[in-house]
């Protein structure tokens, strides 16, 4: 019975750790600001009739 209790506690601890890690990742993603949508490369527009 002791091994069963140890296994159950291990499973419960692993599940709590996984949920905590998932919530931490979500919190970190929510905390990062949105990046501006500016292009890295811009091309100059030239006249079409030349």
């Amino acid at each position: 019975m002791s091994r069963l209790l140890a296994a159950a506690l291990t499973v419960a601890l692993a599940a709590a750790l996984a949920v905590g890690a998932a919530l931490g990742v979500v919190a970190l993603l929510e905390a990062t600001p949105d990046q501006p949508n500016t292009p890295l490369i811009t091309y100059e527009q030239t006249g079409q009739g030349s």
Side-chain angles (χ1 to χ4, degrees), residues 1-16:
M1 190 62 149
S2 177
R3 285 188 176 193
L4 183 61
L5 181 61
L9 287 176
T10 302
V11 169
L13 183 63

Side-chain angles (χ1 to χ4, degrees), residues 31-49:
T32 56
D34 291 334
Q35 298 296 319
N37 190 12
T38 55
L40 295 176
I41 300 173
T42 57
Y43 297 100
E44 294 182 11
Q45 295 287 344
T46 58
Q48 295 291 334

